[in-house]
């Protein structure tokens, strides 16, 4: 417990915040976060009870401080939170979180701040809070997330055993405020070499320095046979993993070093100094007096990352929890890492190209080339991966460039792909594709691989939300059902009979009549319900049954989720409805080899690949539902929010499908849909 004379936590900032800063007036993002947090932002003089808002200790903050002094109003300082964005603010990215401080500013070790008071006096002993902190630390490390995130986790660190020295930008306010000077960086580099005479020294430059936005304190003149720069784009987490010691002034990377298990040597007094987790070489008089408590890493993280910040969800436009920001940033960083070099796209229909450009071309526009062979040449010349619609690779096609096969994801839309409704989710696969069991796929690898930190509980929450909301892949059909007879009800979902999942993953039974007959033969006395595939019902794809067998009840144009709530079991060839049934706890029998078969969750009568049944060590492969759902719904697909027009996590896609708004397809799509249906029906007659 803290000493009895530790400061009490400060009261919250005033509701109304006035300012003299025109940039605040233009910054609608900042205004929105503060508004959602319950504050009113106004330009002008403070009234009684108002606060004066300034940005940290920026050069223009002095004007606001002077006005606050004249009117005896409190100064409220705002700064970015410690998990900010993909790019630095100087490149235009808006912050996902803010620190609003009515006491001081977190990086000033010479005076109190709200974060310091929280660290000094908050109990930080709630088991749920600390469990969230431990999960959060593990997730940031596993995902390689930091304050800024234009780094590549695939870049290797130097050979382990080096000393890491962390640079910062020149004239950064946090350096002077932490009691340090430019000379502190000289001293730090010298001591790192003297105190570790047998170790190499690696300097990590600030991301803004690496991007050429602001100079740092070190340059090539500081290098020697023992001192070198780390690769500019290396992940901080990779660097920290290979270091034997860490030296910092006041950089946030020093905080991340503590989270990674280091005890950094600090030459300034940042917010994370003085709590027993660092070697403090230059403590301020204030910090020696105010920071007399020992904290654990989880307690430090809980205060700085969970309790103190105002976190903002940019897709759902609302305040949110730390975990929601991690989900959002994970989606955005994943898109950047996969797309930053650009792609050459081939075998993509014209109506799909707009959404493909939005999903994969945000960082560098896609180059579309109709001919796959020519596309492979262009991709090789430009050093770009090749995007190709799954199943459209020509026979014998081989490319020397990396290939990503693209398909719709499993939470797709409100409407059919055959009706030209753009998808919310797309999957990319560098090994194969999920519906083709004749070769390994990236989805299979994800199912068999270990879950990331927090992945199991996140998948369980997503399953619960998805099933409670009644969302499925297409979300079409009526919720009204005919009166169903009592008994053991088995749902048989019809499929598009020339669908690639049947052509690649079908077993002995490959037709809808054959599927129905197999279910009837194996289940005498059961109530058999047959649901035609929505694309077939719409007349867009083949697979219709002219006359159903006697005793089979047709349930056309019905909502899949409503129907699943009324049955006991599903029999299918390879339909995704089998996966949706598993999510709802139903028994599933497969006659083919869909991606969800072979893991111990279904009764498999089809040709399941042997590689799914046993692991390389010979042990039986058995996974639980949450592991399957995490791979299929979280790790494998990429989601796109058509409202905010940014990458998003599956939780946002589910929110859009449940609550909207849902952008309607334009008139061009409707015309194309009708033409596609006309041509599909004529082609079926011509066959």
């Amino acid at each position: 417990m803290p000493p009895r004379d530790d400061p009490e936590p400060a009261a919250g900032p005033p509701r109304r915040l006035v300012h003299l800063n025109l940039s605040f007036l233009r910054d609608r993002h900042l205004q929105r976060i503060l508004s959602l947090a319950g504050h009113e932002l106004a330009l002008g003089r403070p009234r009684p009870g108002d606060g004066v808002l300034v940005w940290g200790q920026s050069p223009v903050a002095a004007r606001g401080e002077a006005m606050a002094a004249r009117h005896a109003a409190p100064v409220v300082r705002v700064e970015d939170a410690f998990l900010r964005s993909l790019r630095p603010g100087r490149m235009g990215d808006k912050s996902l979180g803010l620190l609003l401080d009515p006491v001081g500013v977190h990086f000033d070790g010479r005076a109190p701040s709200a974060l310091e008071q929280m660290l000094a006096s908050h109990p930080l002993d709630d088991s749920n809070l600390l469990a969230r902190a431990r999960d959060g630390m593990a997730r940031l490390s596993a995902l390689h997330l930091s304050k800024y995130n234009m780094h590549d986790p695939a870049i290797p660190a130097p050979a382990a055993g080096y000393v890491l020295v962390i640079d910062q930008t020149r004239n950064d306010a946090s350096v002077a405020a932490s009691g340090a000077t430019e000379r502190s960086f000289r001293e730090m580099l010298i001591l790192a070499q003297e105190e570790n005479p047998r170790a190499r020294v690696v300097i990590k430059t600030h991301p803004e320095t690496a991007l050429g936005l602001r100079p740092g304190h070190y340059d090539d003149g500081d290098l020697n046979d023992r001192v070198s720069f780390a690769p500019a784009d290396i992940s901080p987490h990779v660097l920290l993993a290979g270091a034997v010691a860490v030296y910092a002034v006041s950089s946030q990377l020093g905080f991340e070093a503590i989270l990674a298990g280091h005890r950094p040597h600090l030459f300034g007094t940042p917010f994370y100094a003085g709590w027993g987790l660092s070697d403090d070489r230059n403590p301020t008089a204030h910090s020696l007096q105010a920071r007399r408590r020992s904290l654990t890493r989880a307690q430090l993280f809980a205060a700085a990352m969970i309790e103190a910040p105002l976190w903002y969800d940019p897709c759902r436009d609302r305040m949110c929890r730390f975990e929601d920001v991690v989900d959002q940033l994970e989606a955005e960083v994943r898109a950047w890492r996969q797309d930053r070099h650009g792609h050459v796209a081939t075998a993509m229909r014209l109506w799909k190209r707009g959404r493909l450009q939005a999903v994969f071309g945000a960082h560098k526009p896609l180059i579309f080339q109709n001919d796959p062979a020519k596309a492979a040449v262009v991709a090789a010349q430009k050093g770009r991966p090749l995007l190709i619609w799954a199943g459209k690779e020509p026979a014998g096609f081989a490319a020397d460039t990396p290939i990503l096969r693209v398909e719709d994801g499993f939470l797709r839309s409100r409407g059919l792909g055959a009706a030209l409704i753009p998808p919310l989710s797309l999957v990319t696969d560098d090994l194969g594709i999920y519906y083709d069991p004749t070769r390994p796929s990236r989805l299979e690898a994800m199912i068999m691989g270990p879950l990331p930190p927090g992945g199991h509980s996140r998948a369980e929450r997503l399953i619960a939300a998805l099933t409670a909301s009644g969302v499925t892949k297409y979300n079409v059909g009526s919720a009204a059902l005919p009166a169903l007879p009592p008994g053991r009800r088995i749902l048989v979902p019809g499929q598009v009979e020339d669908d690639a999942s049947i052509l690649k993953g079908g077993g002995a039974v490959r037709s809808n009549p054959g599927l129905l007959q197999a279910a009837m033969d194996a289940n005498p006395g059961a109530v058999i319900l047959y649901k035609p595939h929505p694309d077939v019902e719409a007349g867009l794809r083949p697979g219709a049954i002219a006359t159903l067998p006697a005793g089979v009840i047709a349930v056309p144009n019905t909502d899949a989720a409503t129907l699943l709530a009324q049955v006991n079991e599903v029999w299918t060839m390879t339909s995704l409805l089998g996966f949706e049934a598993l999510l709802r706890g139903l028994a599933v029998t497969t006659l083919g080899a869909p991606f969800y078969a072979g893991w111990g969750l279904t009764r498999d009568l089809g040709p399941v690949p042997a590689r799914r049944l046993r692991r390389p060590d010979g042990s039986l492969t058995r996974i639980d539902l949450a592991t399957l759902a995490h791979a299929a719904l979280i790790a494998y697909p990429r989601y796109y929010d058509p409202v905010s027009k940014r990458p998003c996590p599956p939780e946002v896609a589910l929110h859009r499908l449940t609550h909207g708004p849902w952008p309607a397809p334009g008139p061009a799509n409707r015309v194309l849909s009708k033409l596609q249906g006309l041509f599909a029906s004529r082609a079926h007659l011509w066959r």
Side-chain angles (χ1 to χ4, degrees), residues 39-98:
H39 297 285
E40 177 189 349
L41 200 59
L43 184 67
R45 297 178 180 178
R47 302 187 302 224
D50 290 351
V52 178
L53 186 70
V54 300
W55 188 270
Q57 291 181 352
S58 67
V60 297
R63 292 181 298 177
E65 293 166 352
M67 183 173 69
R70 287 196 302 271
H71 295 273
V75 175
V76 179
R77 301 182 192 273
V78 63
E79 273 280 346
D80 292 327
F82 304 124
L83 196 65
R84 188 191 186 281
S85 54
L86 171 63
R87 305 175 185 83
R90 283 178 171 79
M91 296 183 72
D93 279 15
K94 300 297 184 182
S95 180
L96 294 171
L98 298 174

Coordinates of all heavy atoms in Angstrom, one line a residue, residues 39-98:
H39 N -16.9 16.3 -22.7 CA -16.4 17.6 -22.6 C -16.9 18.5 -23.8 O -17.2 18.0 -24.9 CB -14.9 17.6 -22.6 CG -14.3 16.9 -21.5 ND1 -14.2 17.4 -20.2 CD2 -13.7 15.6 -21.4 CE1 -13.6 16.5 -19.4 NE2 -13.3 15.5 -20.1
E40 N -17.0 19.8 -23.5 CA -17.3 20.8 -24.5 C -16.1 21.6 -24.8 O -15.5 22.1 -23.8 CB -18.5 21.7 -24.0 CG -18.8 22.8 -25.0 CD -19.8 23.8 -24.4 OE1 -20.4 23.5 -23.3 OE2 -20.0 24.9 -25.0
L41 N -15.7 21.7 -26.0 CA -14.6 22.5 -26.4 C -15.0 23.8 -27.0 O -15.9 23.9 -27.9 CB -13.8 21.7 -27.5 CG -12.3 22.0 -27.7 CD1 -11.5 21.9 -26.4 CD2 -11.7 21.2 -28.7
A42 N -14.4 24.9 -26.5 CA -14.8 26.2 -27.0 C -13.6 27.1 -27.1 O -12.6 26.9 -26.4 CB -15.8 26.9 -26.0
L43 N -13.6 28.1 -28.0 CA -12.6 29.0 -28.3 C -12.9 30.3 -27.5 O -14.0 30.8 -27.6 CB -12.5 29.3 -29.8 CG -11.3 30.2 -30.2 CD1 -10.0 29.6 -30.0 CD2 -11.5 30.6 -31.7
G44 N -11.9 30.8 -26.7 CA -12.2 32.0 -26.0 C -11.7 32.0 -24.6 O -10.9 31.2 -24.2
R45 N -12.3 32.9 -23.8 CA -11.9 33.0 -22.4 C -12.7 32.1 -21.5 O -13.8 31.8 -21.7 CB -12.1 34.5 -21.9 CG -11.3 35.5 -22.6 CD -11.7 36.9 -22.1 NE -10.9 37.9 -22.8 CZ -11.0 39.2 -22.6 NH1 -11.9 39.6 -21.7 NH2 -10.3 40.1 -23.2
P46 N -12.0 31.6 -20.4 CA -12.7 30.7 -19.5 C -13.8 31.4 -18.6 O -13.6 32.6 -18.2 CB -11.6 30.1 -18.6 CG -10.6 31.2 -18.6 CD -10.6 31.8 -20.0
R47 N -14.9 30.7 -18.4 CA -15.8 31.2 -17.4 C -15.6 30.4 -16.1 O -14.8 29.5 -16.1 CB -17.3 30.9 -17.9 CG -17.6 31.5 -19.2 CD -19.0 31.3 -19.6 NE -19.4 29.9 -19.7 CZ -20.2 29.4 -20.7 NH1 -20.5 30.2 -21.7 NH2 -20.5 28.2 -20.7
P48 N -16.2 30.8 -15.0 CA -16.0 30.1 -13.7 C -16.3 28.6 -13.9 O -17.4 28.3 -14.5 CB -17.0 30.8 -12.8 CG -17.1 32.2 -13.3 CD -17.0 32.0 -14.8
G49 N -15.5 27.7 -13.5 CA -15.7 26.3 -13.6 C -15.1 25.7 -14.9 O -15.0 24.5 -15.0
D50 N -14.6 26.5 -15.8 CA -14.0 26.0 -17.0 C -12.5 25.7 -16.8 O -11.9 26.1 -15.8 CB -14.0 27.1 -18.1 CG -15.5 27.3 -18.7 OD1 -16.3 26.6 -18.3 OD2 -15.6 28.3 -19.4
G51 N -12.0 24.9 -17.7 CA -10.6 24.6 -17.8 C -10.0 25.2 -19.1 O -10.8 25.4 -20.0
V52 N -8.7 25.4 -19.1 CA -8.0 25.8 -20.3 C -7.2 24.7 -20.9 O -6.3 24.1 -20.2 CB -7.1 27.0 -20.0 CG1 -6.4 27.5 -21.3 CG2 -7.9 28.2 -19.4
L53 N -7.5 24.3 -22.1 CA -6.9 23.2 -22.8 C -5.7 23.6 -23.5 O -5.7 24.6 -24.3 CB -7.9 22.5 -23.7 CG -7.5 21.2 -24.4 CD1 -7.4 20.1 -23.3 CD2 -8.4 20.8 -25.5
V54 N -4.6 22.9 -23.3 CA -3.4 23.1 -24.1 C -2.8 21.8 -24.5 O -3.1 20.7 -23.9 CB -2.3 23.9 -23.3 CG1 -2.8 25.3 -22.9 CG2 -1.8 23.1 -22.1
W55 N -1.9 21.8 -25.5 CA -1.3 20.5 -26.0 C 0.0 20.4 -25.2 O 1.0 21.1 -25.5 CB -1.1 20.5 -27.5 CG -0.6 19.1 -27.9 CD1 0.7 18.7 -27.9 CD2 -1.5 18.0 -28.2 NE1 0.7 17.3 -28.3 CE2 -0.6 16.9 -28.5 CE3 -2.8 17.9 -28.4 CZ2 -1.1 15.7 -28.9 CZ3 -3.3 16.6 -28.7 CH2 -2.5 15.5 -29.0
G56 N 0.0 19.5 -24.3 CA 1.2 19.1 -23.5 C 2.0 20.3 -23.1 O 1.5 21.2 -22.4
Q57 N 3.3 20.4 -23.4 CA 4.2 21.5 -23.2 C 4.7 22.0 -24.5 O 5.9 22.4 -24.6 CB 5.3 21.1 -22.3 CG 4.9 20.8 -20.8 CD 6.0 20.4 -19.9 OE1 7.2 20.2 -20.4 NE2 5.7 20.3 -18.7
S58 N 3.8 22.1 -25.5 CA 4.2 22.6 -26.8 C 4.5 24.1 -26.8 O 4.1 24.8 -25.8 CB 3.0 22.3 -27.8 OG 1.9 23.1 -27.5
P59 N 5.2 24.6 -27.8 CA 5.5 26.0 -27.8 C 4.3 26.9 -27.6 O 4.4 28.0 -27.1 CB 6.2 26.2 -29.1 CG 6.8 24.9 -29.4 CD 5.8 23.9 -28.9
V60 N 3.1 26.5 -28.1 CA 2.0 27.4 -28.1 C 1.2 27.2 -26.8 O 0.2 27.9 -26.5 CB 1.0 27.2 -29.3 CG1 1.7 27.5 -30.6 CG2 0.5 25.7 -29.3
A61 N 1.6 26.3 -25.9 CA 0.9 26.0 -24.7 C 1.0 27.2 -23.8 O 0.1 27.5 -22.9 CB 1.4 24.8 -24.0
A62 N 2.1 28.0 -23.9 CA 2.3 29.2 -23.0 C 1.1 30.2 -23.0 O 0.8 30.8 -22.0 CB 3.6 29.9 -23.3
R63 N 0.5 30.3 -24.2 CA -0.6 31.3 -24.3 C -1.8 30.8 -23.5 O -2.4 31.6 -22.8 CB -1.0 31.4 -25.8 CG 0.0 32.1 -26.7 CD -0.5 32.2 -28.1 NE -0.7 30.9 -28.7 CZ -1.2 30.7 -29.9 NH1 -1.5 31.8 -30.7 NH2 -1.4 29.5 -30.4
G64 N -2.1 29.5 -23.5 CA -3.2 29.0 -22.7 C -2.8 29.1 -21.3 O -3.7 29.4 -20.4
E65 N -1.6 28.8 -20.9 CA -1.2 28.9 -19.5 C -1.3 30.3 -19.0 O -1.8 30.5 -17.8 CB 0.3 28.4 -19.4 CG 0.5 26.9 -19.7 CD 1.9 26.5 -19.9 OE1 2.8 27.4 -19.9 OE2 2.2 25.3 -20.0
A66 N -0.9 31.3 -19.8 CA -1.1 32.7 -19.3 C -2.5 33.0 -19.1 O -2.9 33.7 -18.1 CB -0.4 33.6 -20.3
M67 N -3.4 32.6 -20.1 CA -4.8 32.9 -19.9 C -5.4 32.3 -18.7 O -6.2 32.9 -17.9 CB -5.6 32.5 -21.2 CG -7.1 32.9 -21.1 SD -7.9 32.6 -22.7 CE -7.9 30.8 -22.7
A68 N -5.0 31.0 -18.4 CA -5.5 30.3 -17.2 C -5.1 31.0 -16.0 O -5.9 31.2 -15.0 CB -5.0 28.9 -17.3
A69 N -3.8 31.5 -16.0 CA -3.3 32.3 -14.8 C -4.1 33.5 -14.6 O -4.5 33.9 -13.4 CB -1.9 32.5 -14.9
R70 N -4.4 34.3 -15.6 CA -5.2 35.5 -15.5 C -6.6 35.3 -14.9 O -7.1 36.1 -14.2 CB -5.3 36.2 -16.9 CG -4.0 36.8 -17.3 CD -4.2 37.8 -18.5 NE -4.9 37.2 -19.6 CZ -4.2 36.6 -20.6 NH1 -2.9 36.6 -20.6 NH2 -4.9 36.1 -21.6
H71 N -7.2 34.2 -15.3 CA -8.6 33.9 -14.9 C -8.7 32.9 -13.8 O -9.8 32.4 -13.5 CB -9.4 33.4 -16.1 CG -9.5 34.5 -17.2 ND1 -10.5 35.4 -17.2 CD2 -8.7 34.7 -18.3 CE1 -10.3 36.2 -18.2 NE2 -9.3 35.8 -18.9
A72 N -7.5 32.5 -13.2 CA -7.5 31.5 -12.1 C -8.3 30.2 -12.5 O -9.0 29.7 -11.7 CB -8.2 32.1 -10.8
A73 N -8.0 29.8 -13.7 CA -8.6 28.6 -14.2 C -7.6 27.5 -14.3 O -6.4 27.7 -14.5 CB -9.2 28.8 -15.6
P74 N -8.0 26.2 -14.1 CA -7.0 25.1 -14.2 C -6.6 24.9 -15.6 O -7.4 25.1 -16.6 CB -7.8 23.9 -13.7 CG -9.3 24.3 -13.9 CD -9.4 25.8 -13.8
V75 N -5.3 24.5 -15.8 CA -4.8 24.1 -17.1 C -5.0 22.6 -17.3 O -4.7 21.9 -16.4 CB -3.3 24.5 -17.2 CG1 -2.7 23.9 -18.5 CG2 -3.1 26.0 -17.1
V76 N -5.6 22.2 -18.4 CA -5.8 20.8 -18.7 C -4.9 20.5 -20.0 O -5.1 21.2 -21.0 CB -7.2 20.5 -19.0 CG1 -7.4 19.1 -19.4 CG2 -8.1 20.9 -17.8
R77 N -4.0 19.6 -19.8 CA -3.1 19.2 -20.9 C -3.5 17.9 -21.6 O -3.9 17.0 -20.9 CB -1.7 19.1 -20.4 CG -1.2 20.4 -19.7 CD 0.3 20.3 -19.2 NE 0.6 21.4 -18.3 CZ 1.1 22.5 -18.8 NH1 1.3 22.7 -20.1 NH2 1.3 23.5 -17.9
V78 N -3.5 18.0 -22.9 CA -3.8 16.8 -23.7 C -2.6 16.3 -24.4 O -1.8 17.1 -24.9 CB -5.0 17.1 -24.6 CG1 -4.6 18.1 -25.7 CG2 -5.5 15.8 -25.3
E79 N -2.5 15.0 -24.5 CA -1.4 14.3 -25.2 C -1.9 13.0 -25.8 O -2.9 12.5 -25.4 CB -0.2 14.0 -24.3 CG 0.8 15.2 -24.1 CD 1.8 15.3 -25.3 OE1 1.9 14.3 -26.1 OE2 2.5 16.3 -25.4
D80 N -1.1 12.5 -26.8 CA -1.5 11.2 -27.4 C -1.3 10.1 -26.3 O -0.3 10.2 -25.5 CB -0.6 10.9 -28.6 CG -0.9 11.8 -29.8 OD1 -2.1 12.2 -29.9 OD2 0.0 12.1 -30.5
A81 N -2.1 9.1 -26.4 CA -1.9 7.9 -25.5 C -0.8 7.1 -26.1 O -0.2 7.4 -27.2 CB -3.2 7.1 -25.5
F82 N -0.4 6.0 -25.4 CA 0.8 5.3 -25.7 C 0.6 4.2 -26.7 O 1.6 3.5 -27.1 CB 1.3 4.7 -24.4 CG 1.6 5.7 -23.3 CD1 1.0 5.5 -22.0 CD2 2.4 6.8 -23.5 CE1 1.2 6.4 -21.0 CE2 2.6 7.7 -22.5 CZ 2.0 7.5 -21.2
L83 N -0.5 4.1 -27.2 CA -0.8 3.2 -28.4 C -1.5 4.1 -29.4 O -2.7 4.3 -29.3 CB -1.7 2.0 -28.0 CG -1.7 0.8 -28.9 CD1 -0.4 0.2 -29.1 CD2 -2.7 -0.2 -28.4
R84 N -0.8 4.7 -30.4 CA -1.3 5.9 -31.1 C -2.0 5.5 -32.4 O -3.1 5.8 -32.6 CB -0.2 6.9 -31.3 CG -0.8 8.2 -31.8 CD 0.3 9.1 -32.3 NE -0.3 10.4 -32.7 CZ -0.8 10.7 -33.9 NH1 -0.9 9.7 -34.8 NH2 -1.4 11.9 -34.1
S85 N -1.2 5.0 -33.3 CA -1.6 4.9 -34.7 C -0.6 4.1 -35.5 O 0.4 3.7 -35.0 CB -1.8 6.3 -35.3 OG -0.6 7.0 -35.2
L86 N -0.9 3.9 -36.8 CA 0.0 3.3 -37.7 C 1.2 4.2 -37.9 O 2.4 3.8 -37.7 CB -0.6 2.9 -39.0 CG 0.3 2.4 -40.1 CD1 1.0 1.1 -39.8 CD2 -0.5 2.3 -41.4
R87 N 1.0 5.4 -38.4 CA 2.0 6.3 -38.7 C 2.1 7.4 -37.7 O 1.1 7.7 -36.9 CB 1.7 7.0 -40.1 CG 1.6 6.1 -41.2 CD 1.2 6.9 -42.5 NE 0.8 6.0 -43.6 CZ -0.3 5.4 -43.8 NH1 -1.3 5.6 -43.0 NH2 -0.5 4.7 -44.9
P88 N 3.2 8.2 -37.6 CA 3.2 9.3 -36.7 C 2.2 10.4 -37.1 O 1.8 10.5 -38.3 CB 4.7 9.8 -36.9 CG 5.5 8.7 -37.4 CD 4.5 7.9 -38.2
G89 N 1.9 11.2 -36.2 CA 0.9 12.3 -36.4 C 1.4 13.2 -37.5 O 0.6 13.8 -38.3
R90 N 2.7 13.4 -37.7 CA 3.2 14.3 -38.7 C 2.9 13.7 -40.1 O 3.1 14.4 -41.1 CB 4.7 14.5 -38.5 CG 5.0 15.5 -37.4 CD 6.5 15.7 -37.2 NE 6.8 16.8 -36.3 CZ 6.7 16.8 -35.0 NH1 6.3 15.6 -34.5 NH2 6.9 17.8 -34.3
M91 N 2.5 12.5 -40.2 CA 2.2 11.9 -41.5 C 0.7 11.9 -41.7 O 0.2 11.3 -42.7 CB 2.8 10.5 -41.6 CG 4.3 10.5 -41.6 SD 5.0 8.8 -41.9 CE 4.6 8.6 -43.6
G92 N -0.1 12.5 -40.8 CA -1.5 12.6 -40.9 C -2.4 11.7 -40.2 O -3.6 11.8 -40.2
D93 N -1.8 10.6 -39.6 CA -2.7 9.7 -38.8 C -3.2 10.3 -37.5 O -2.5 11.0 -36.8 CB -1.9 8.4 -38.5 CG -1.8 7.5 -39.7 OD1 -2.1 7.9 -40.8 OD2 -1.4 6.3 -39.5
K94 N -4.5 10.0 -37.2 CA -5.1 10.5 -36.0 C -4.9 9.5 -34.9 O -4.9 8.3 -35.1 CB -6.6 10.7 -36.3 CG -6.9 11.8 -37.3 CD -6.4 13.1 -36.9 CE -6.7 14.2 -38.0 NZ -6.2 15.5 -37.6
S95 N -4.8 10.0 -33.7 CA -4.6 9.1 -32.6 C -5.8 8.3 -32.2 O -7.0 8.8 -32.2 CB -4.1 9.9 -31.4 OG -3.8 9.1 -30.3
L96 N -5.6 7.1 -31.7 CA -6.7 6.2 -31.2 C -7.0 6.5 -29.7 O -7.9 5.9 -29.2 CB -6.3 4.8 -31.4 CG -6.3 4.3 -32.9 CD1 -5.7 2.9 -33.0 CD2 -7.6 4.4 -33.5
G97 N -6.2 7.3 -29.1 CA -6.4 7.6 -27.7 C -5.7 8.9 -27.2 O -4.8 9.3 -27.8
L98 N -6.2 9.4 -26.1 CA -5.7 10.7 -25.6 C -5.5 10.5 -24.1 O -6.2 9.7 -23.4 CB -6.7 11.8 -25.8 CG -7.0 12.2 -27.3 CD1 -8.0 13.3 -27.3 CD2 -5.7 12.7 -28.0

